[in-house]
Amino acid sequence: MKLSKAQIILGIICGSCIAIGNAGATGAISIRSGVLWIELFAFSVIAVCGFVLLQYGVQHHYLCKAHVADDDEIPASEQMFPSRIRAAVQALPWFQLTGWSIALSWIVILFCWLPYLVALHPGILYYDTGQQIAQFFGRPAWSHAGIPVGMIWDHHPWFDTYAFGLFAKLGTVLGSASQGLFLLCLLQCVTMSLTFAISLSYMRQRFSVGAPMCSTMLLFYAVFPLFPILFCTVVKDVFHAVFFLPWVLMYVESWKSSLSSLKRPFFLVGFFALTVLSGLTTKTGGIICLLSVGILIFVKSGLRKRILAVAFLAAYMAVTSIIIPMALFPALKIVTTDSSQFFVIPLQMTARYAKDNPNEATSDQIEAINCFSQVRYQDMASQYRPFITDPVSGFTIRNAACTGDYVKAWLQQGITHPSSYINAFVALEASFFSTDRPAVENPTYMANPPYAMTGNQMDVQLSTSVNENLLGDIIPTDAYPNTAVKQLYEGMNHIPVLNILTYQSFWSWMLPMGLLALLCSRKVRVHAKETRLWIVFGPYWLSLLSLYAGSTGFYM
């Protein structure tokens, strides 16, 4: 199996970033470190070899639709089952775009998720979710950001706040707020398992993905524990996925049909509704949808279809930027956020500069930073944490009029000591690329290196964490995670080869690079009957970019 030059280059980039991420996970990079260069070479070789195996496996085993003629051709893994059972399973209408076929996959996935629903009842709440619910019930939350009691802060999307609060309020009618939030978890599991089932049939019929690949994906969706655990969790990112993943399917169909699907009223209304809801449930979701639909304008289609796509974008921007803010924000008492989110990484770099070079900032630079930032420059060094921006970003800007002066000071300091900025950025992004991380329960708020290191495997929250002072009488804090689920997930963490699925960097870096390598293969593109297959993954690439622009590292 021969790789193209582009695939080899991708392998080198993939391995190099893993090595740099491992260095960033220690809090600082040293180009003189022998370990860095050894890892850079080793991971590059491993990545290139991995791409060879991936391409071979996909092309020769998973993209084919070969018909099994007799028992001699049946794989050994299938011969374990009696012929009658095999025949009965093969006779079922798997992966067809019909109601019965989709229901079949849906039932398999949901059946495998049911034990998690029972074990994790009444669901899992994150701390920030509790703060959002507290705001809904008119209790003080995020007071450090100056949010008045009774107002809804849009730092976390107001739509999510009202949705979580309404389900909690519904629960009080059923007996407790927790029961209402469990109903939300149930709806998330039902909706997402159905979305996965539809996606399998869609890939099989519209992209000629082989039955072996679809069967593997069905098994993965059904038994990989991270899916049901997450969908039994009440948090904005999971709630966003309920709308975003169905939207992705409709986006792909719009592209696949050369925008013809937009001419169907039912499809158009559904696609528009999911676009708006995806934008309302996370801030980045709206940007991803906006840019992705923008890509559709350049799809080969008639002029009328392109005009329709442009009108779609214009209507979306009008609804989300004008109509909703003017009509709903005053009535729902929503406090909008400022532009501070655009400056979280620059402020992190400023704090790293203050820590590395405590006596080099000029009085003009300090004055500009203090005018702009909620956190004083004099406090930034002690507040700095390599893997999270919250302690130094202050959540809001002190004075937007000082933005220009701050940018000037930021550029001056970066030119003077670029290594501080590089270290700040790489440490913040390290979790998305590295195979290692600090060996503590919550490395996010660790202050000073050096750290003992361990594998960069994802921590899964399995118990509710809320502010008891705000919600103790509404939602009890369950400090003890379900033992069986905890042991299952931790057991998977220690299974060789399989445990790569629990590494954060596998999902945020290795898998995307592997996908890019596959898309560089002409055979894969031809089999899928598309020469520009990478465009289909537009929302995926944009989601990854938004992930890298985030404000936390080594956080699930």
Side-chain angles (χ1 to χ4, degrees), residues 22-30 352 423 427 449 451:
N22 285 343
T26 65
I29 295 177
S30 173
R352 182 64 180 246
N423 277 321
Y451 315 119

mmCIF file of all heavy atoms in Angstrom, residues 22-30 352 423 427 449 451:
data_model
loop_
_atom_site.group_PDB
_atom_site.id
_atom_site.type_symbol
_atom_site.label_atom_id
_atom_site.label_comp_id
_atom_site.label_asym_id
_atom_site.label_seq_id
_atom_site.Cartn_x
_atom_site.Cartn_y
_atom_site.Cartn_z
ATOM 1 N N ASN A 22 2.864 16.887 23.927
ATOM 2 C CA ASN A 22 3.409 16.266 25.137
ATOM 3 C C ASN A 22 4.343 17.223 25.872
ATOM 4 O O ASN A 22 4.370 17.266 27.106
ATOM 5 C CB ASN A 22 4.157 14.982 24.781
ATOM 6 C CG ASN A 22 3.220 13.832 24.453
ATOM 7 O OD1 ASN A 22 2.032 13.883 24.779
ATOM 8 N ND2 ASN A 22 3.739 12.809 23.804
ATOM 9 N N ALA A 23 5.123 17.987 25.093
ATOM 10 C CA ALA A 23 6.003 18.984 25.720
ATOM 11 C C ALA A 23 5.170 20.087 26.368
ATOM 12 O O ALA A 23 5.465 20.529 27.491
ATOM 13 C CB ALA A 23 6.946 19.567 24.681
ATOM 14 N N GLY A 24 4.100 20.536 25.681
ATOM 15 C CA GLY A 24 3.239 21.574 26.245
ATOM 16 C C GLY A 24 2.533 21.124 27.509
ATOM 17 O O GLY A 24 2.248 21.939 28.390
ATOM 18 N N ALA A 25 2.256 19.828 27.623
ATOM 19 C CA ALA A 25 1.571 19.308 28.807
ATOM 20 C C ALA A 25 2.429 19.409 30.056
ATOM 21 O O ALA A 25 1.920 19.340 31.178
ATOM 22 C CB ALA A 25 1.161 17.852 28.577
ATOM 23 N N THR A 26 3.726 19.591 29.879
ATOM 24 C CA THR A 26 4.608 19.775 31.035
ATOM 25 C C THR A 26 4.639 21.230 31.491
ATOM 26 O O THR A 26 5.246 21.540 32.508
ATOM 27 C CB THR A 26 6.045 19.341 30.690
ATOM 28 O OG1 THR A 26 6.580 20.212 29.672
ATOM 29 C CG2 THR A 26 6.073 17.909 30.188
ATOM 30 N N GLY A 27 3.991 22.115 30.729
ATOM 31 C CA GLY A 27 3.929 23.523 31.112
ATOM 32 C C GLY A 27 4.892 24.404 30.361
ATOM 33 O O GLY A 27 4.757 25.623 30.360
ATOM 34 N N ALA A 28 5.906 23.825 29.712
ATOM 35 C CA ALA A 28 6.881 24.627 28.972
ATOM 36 C C ALA A 28 7.570 23.748 27.943
ATOM 37 O O ALA A 28 7.766 22.552 28.162
ATOM 38 C CB ALA A 28 7.912 25.240 29.910
ATOM 39 N N ILE A 29 7.956 24.363 26.814
ATOM 40 C CA ILE A 29 8.637 23.639 25.743
ATOM 41 C C ILE A 29 10.113 24.043 25.726
ATOM 42 O O ILE A 29 10.444 25.218 25.844
ATOM 43 C CB ILE A 29 8.016 23.976 24.375
ATOM 44 C CG1 ILE A 29 6.577 23.481 24.305
ATOM 45 C CG2 ILE A 29 8.811 23.340 23.246
ATOM 46 C CD1 ILE A 29 5.890 23.845 23.012
ATOM 47 N N SER A 30 10.954 23.037 25.564
ATOM 48 C CA SER A 30 12.386 23.306 25.409
ATOM 49 C C SER A 30 12.858 22.620 24.137
ATOM 50 O O SER A 30 12.822 21.394 24.021
ATOM 51 C CB SER A 30 13.183 22.773 26.609
ATOM 52 O OG SER A 30 14.574 22.905 26.367
ATOM 53 N N ARG A 352 1.094 34.813 30.960
ATOM 54 C CA ARG A 352 2.324 34.017 30.899
ATOM 55 C C ARG A 352 3.540 34.929 30.790
ATOM 56 O O ARG A 352 4.591 34.670 31.401
ATOM 57 C CB ARG A 352 2.258 33.060 29.711
ATOM 58 C CG ARG A 352 3.485 32.140 29.573
ATOM 59 C CD ARG A 352 3.618 31.203 30.760
ATOM 60 N NE ARG A 352 4.773 30.337 30.632
ATOM 61 C CZ ARG A 352 4.689 29.014 30.478
ATOM 62 N NH1 ARG A 352 3.510 28.412 30.433
ATOM 63 N NH2 ARG A 352 5.784 28.286 30.391
ATOM 64 N N ASN A 423 4.674 29.302 24.641
ATOM 65 C CA ASN A 423 4.447 28.373 25.750
ATOM 66 C C ASN A 423 3.023 28.465 26.272
ATOM 67 O O ASN A 423 2.398 27.449 26.615
ATOM 68 C CB ASN A 423 5.438 28.642 26.888
ATOM 69 C CG ASN A 423 6.776 27.975 26.648
ATOM 70 O OD1 ASN A 423 6.841 26.852 26.147
ATOM 71 N ND2 ASN A 423 7.850 28.653 26.993
ATOM 72 N N ALA A 427 0.637 25.162 25.857
ATOM 73 C CA ALA A 427 0.146 24.545 27.087
ATOM 74 C C ALA A 427 -1.376 24.501 27.102
ATOM 75 O O ALA A 427 -1.982 23.497 27.513
ATOM 76 C CB ALA A 427 0.663 25.310 28.306
ATOM 77 N N PRO A 449 4.625 24.083 37.084
ATOM 78 C CA PRO A 449 5.352 22.871 36.722
ATOM 79 C C PRO A 449 6.602 22.753 37.604
ATOM 80 O O PRO A 449 6.948 23.718 38.289
ATOM 81 C CB PRO A 449 5.715 23.108 35.263
ATOM 82 C CG PRO A 449 5.714 24.590 35.096
ATOM 83 C CD PRO A 449 4.722 25.122 36.082
ATOM 84 N N TYR A 451 5.345 18.696 36.505
ATOM 85 C CA TYR A 451 4.286 17.798 36.917
ATOM 86 C C TYR A 451 4.700 16.353 36.668
ATOM 87 O O TYR A 451 5.422 16.053 35.727
ATOM 88 C CB TYR A 451 3.001 18.042 36.108
ATOM 89 C CG TYR A 451 2.620 19.484 35.933
ATOM 90 C CD1 TYR A 451 2.535 20.050 34.666
ATOM 91 C CD2 TYR A 451 2.326 20.289 37.034
ATOM 92 C CE1 TYR A 451 2.161 21.372 34.492
ATOM 93 C CE2 TYR A 451 1.959 21.610 36.864
ATOM 94 C CZ TYR A 451 1.885 22.151 35.600
ATOM 95 O OH TYR A 451 1.521 23.457 35.437
#
